Amino acid sequence: MNSALLYLIVMVAVAAVVFLLAALVFGRGEELAPLPPGASPTRLPAEDISAEDVRELKFQQVFRGYKMSEVDWVLQRLATEVGALRARVEELESSDRT
């Protein structure tokens, strides 16, 4: 009985030391404050989106992937930019033909 109690006390002490060491090394598990509703860490310039802007995009992660409203917003912005660029190319090509 004495050895079992001693074994239990040693195991609890070892677990406490390991826990405290891990807390010191990895931090206390603090998280950033949540973003206000409607806010997003996703950023794009107002005009002239470049390939580098698209490569640097970061989306807010939620329980099952990325936040759908942010992805939809970025796709809409990119579609608008691609449409404007295609219209400009068509305009320039048609002016070259005449």
Side-chain angles (χ1 to χ4, degrees):
M1 178 71 177
N2 246 354
S3 63
L5 183 59
L6 181 61
Y7 178 74
L8 181 63
I9 291 172
V10 169
M11 291 305 295
V12 169
V14 168
V17 168
V18 169
F19 174 77
L20 290 174
L21 184 62
L24 287 173
V25 171
F26 298 111
R28 296 180 298 194
E30 297 168 348
E31 294 182 17
L32 295 174
L35 292 172
S40 168
T42 307
R43 301 279 185 253
L44 279 176
E47 294 178 352
D48 300 327
I49 298 171
S50 70
E52 190 61 29
D53 294 327
V54 175
R55 284 187 200 97
E56 291 178 359
L57 276 174
K58 302 290 181 226
F59 295 105
Q60 182 178 358
Q61 290 188 343
V62 292
F63 182 66
R64 296 188 70 186
Y66 295 113
K67 192 170 184 182
M68 210 184 319
S69 61
E70 289 181 4
V71 176
D72 291 344
W73 174 77
V74 168
L75 289 175
Q76 182 61 41
R77 288 287 315 280
L78 292 175
T80 302
E81 186 78 16
V82 168
L85 291 171
R86 287 185 183 264
R88 180 72 176 139
V89 167
E90 188 176 310
E91 175 186 318
L92 293 171
E93 285 178 346
S94 67
S95 68
D96 285 344
R97 290 184 208 144
T98 56

